[in-house]
Amino acid sequence: MGISAVMVHWFARLHKKRAFADANSIVELGPQDVMTTPAIFQSALGPMTDKAAMADLLGEMFEDGRPKPWAQQALYRHLGLQDYNSIDMFDPRANWRLDLNYPCRLPRRFSVVTNFGSSEHIFDIAQSFRTVHDLLEPGGIALFVLPAFGDIDHGFWNVHPTVYFDVAQENGYSILDFVYIDNFGVRCRLAEERPDEPFGFRDLPIKVEDCIQPNLPRTVTLQYIQNLNNPDTARLGMEFPCIVFDYCFVALRKPGEGEEQGFVFPTQGKYRAS
């Protein structure tokens, strides 16, 4: 998976929350390609960037309107993450060529770890979550953008909201941000059609409070049916194999120095019970 229009708006949202304020290093589980337009970066990041800096950023990221192979590094540097690294089994851009089904024995840890469309392709998905935990510094930020519903055969797994809440509960993480993006592909295309409009995270139909309620399956299914019959889906969704599919965007902060522990596998439902 790559960095889409909605993800760029999410980075701006996290920046406003000062999620990256004390962070300087990042490792990605798979180097991410930028998969949207310069206008999206101008819209999402422009309000927090002076014109000269934005021009420099777009010059680093794009050539003739097309993203460069290392565009993601320029984006992260713009967010204050100067030290970029990545892990991948096949991508030649990766610093470490590793199979993420197995523990990653790296010589260091990082302020930010991204898991953008990786875990669903890893057969030992539990190990991928443990790897994120092990690679994070105390107080570091884990960022997840993973399929939740409808993306059949995209990978081995969909990752449901309960995973994040229960992992956080069991391992002492704080939830900095949780957004359920229904009809993800279509929303990305709509954002690109309307680049001057801010993305309406608050207007999304499925709220974070819905995601810890027992009626979530019904809520998601009814919204799926509504999206399937939406004129925008008929117009824009056919480019995607699954037409309609949902993703969770999640930012978790690891406990600080002296409070961290080895990764603990969660028991489903503890978060709701609390």
Side-chain angles (χ1 to χ4, degrees), residues 121-230:
H121 301 292
I122 299 168
F123 194 78
D124 191 347
I125 190 170
Q127 177 58 53
S128 72
F129 278 83
R130 180 159 49 190
T131 293
V132 170
H133 177 87
D134 291 344
L135 292 176
L136 270 179
E137 298 173 348
I141 306 294
L143 301 180
F144 299 91
V145 175
L146 299 173
F149 184 77
D151 217 359
I152 189 168
D153 259 8
H154 169 76
F156 292 117
W157 319 106
N158 278 342
V159 183
H160 302 135
T162 190
V163 172
Y164 306 102
F165 293 111
D166 291 325
V167 163
Q169 175 77 8
E170 200 71 65
N171 290 278
Y173 284 78
S174 56
I175 300 172
L176 295 184
D177 201 28
F178 183 101
V179 187
Y180 190 100
I181 309 282
D182 67 304
N183 211 4
F184 175 50
V186 171
R187 289 191 185 278
C188 287
R189 293 295 173 261
L190 287 171
E192 289 169 346
E193 285 187 350
R194 308 162 185 170
D196 294 332
E197 296 181 12
F199 187 80
F201 287 101
R202 293 182 180 179
D203 300 326
L204 292 167
I206 299 175
K207 313 297 185 185
V208 63
E209 53 267 27
D210 296 322
C211 292
I212 56 173
Q213 298 299 322
N215 62 348
L216 177 66
R218 182 179 294 271
T219 301
V220 168
T221 303
L222 292 174
Q223 186 61 44
Y224 178 89
I225 294 168
Q226 184 172 327
N227 287 331
L228 197 60
N229 292 285
N230 188 304

Side-chain angles (χ1 to χ4, degrees), residues 11-243:
F11 291 147
R13 172 181 166 100
L14 293 174
H15 187 271
K16 290 176 183 175
K17 293 186 173 189
R18 298 186 56 78
F20 309 122
D22 300 316
N24 54 39
S25 62
I26 182 171
V27 63
E28 295 199 286
L29 303 192
Q32 298 298 301
D33 294 305
V34 171
M35 300 180 67
T36 189
T37 65
I40 290 296
F41 289 89
Q42 182 70 58
S43 172
L45 304 181
M48 63 188 197
T49 308
D50 64 58
K51 290 183 178 180
M54 178 55 63
D56 289 344
L57 173 64
L58 296 180
E60 286 187 76
M61 294 183 66
F62 294 91
E63 185 172 3
D64 298 326
R66 297 181 179 180
K68 298 177 182 179
W70 301 99
Q72 79 287 91
Q73 294 194 30
L75 169 61
Y76 292 129
R77 283 196 301 271
H78 187 75
L79 296 172
L81 304 170
Q82 303 294 327
D83 180 5
Y84 177 86
N85 307 267
S86 60
I87 301 167
D88 196 277
M89 191 173 179
F90 303 109
D91 196 315
R93 295 173 294 177
N95 300 75
W96 293 281
R97 303 288 291 277
L98 298 171
D99 185 343
L100 290 166
N101 283 290
Y102 301 98
C104 293
R105 309 297 185 193
L106 299 188
R108 54 176 298 199
R109 295 193 284 180
F110 304 88
S111 307
V112 176
V113 180
T114 73
N115 186 346
F116 295 156
S118 294
S119 277
E120 72 268 30
H121 301 292
I122 299 168
F123 194 78
D124 191 347
I125 190 170
Q127 177 58 53
S128 72
F129 278 83
R130 180 159 49 190
T131 293
V132 170
H133 177 87
D134 291 344
L135 292 176
L136 270 179
E137 298 173 348
I141 306 294
L143 301 180
F144 299 91
V145 175
L146 299 173
F149 184 77
D151 217 359
I152 189 168
D153 259 8
H154 169 76
F156 292 117
W157 319 106
N158 278 342
V159 183
H160 302 135
T162 190
V163 172
Y164 306 102
F165 293 111
D166 291 325
V167 163
Q169 175 77 8
E170 200 71 65
N171 290 278
Y173 284 78
S174 56
I175 300 172
L176 295 184
D177 201 28
F178 183 101
V179 187
Y180 190 100
I181 309 282
D182 67 304
N183 211 4
F184 175 50
V186 171
R187 289 191 185 278
C188 287
R189 293 295 173 261
L190 287 171
E192 289 169 346
E193 285 187 350
R194 308 162 185 170
D196 294 332
E197 296 181 12
F199 187 80
F201 287 101
R202 293 182 180 179
D203 300 326
L204 292 167
I206 299 175
K207 313 297 185 185
V208 63
E209 53 267 27
D210 296 322
C211 292
I212 56 173
Q213 298 299 322
N215 62 348
L216 177 66
R218 182 179 294 271
T219 301
V220 168
T221 303
L222 292 174
Q223 186 61 44
Y224 178 89
I225 294 168
Q226 184 172 327
N227 287 331
L228 197 60
N229 292 285
N230 188 304
D232 286 326
T233 300
R235 184 170 59 88
L236 299 169
M238 295 305 166
E239 77 167 271
F240 305 108
C242 291
I243 306 174

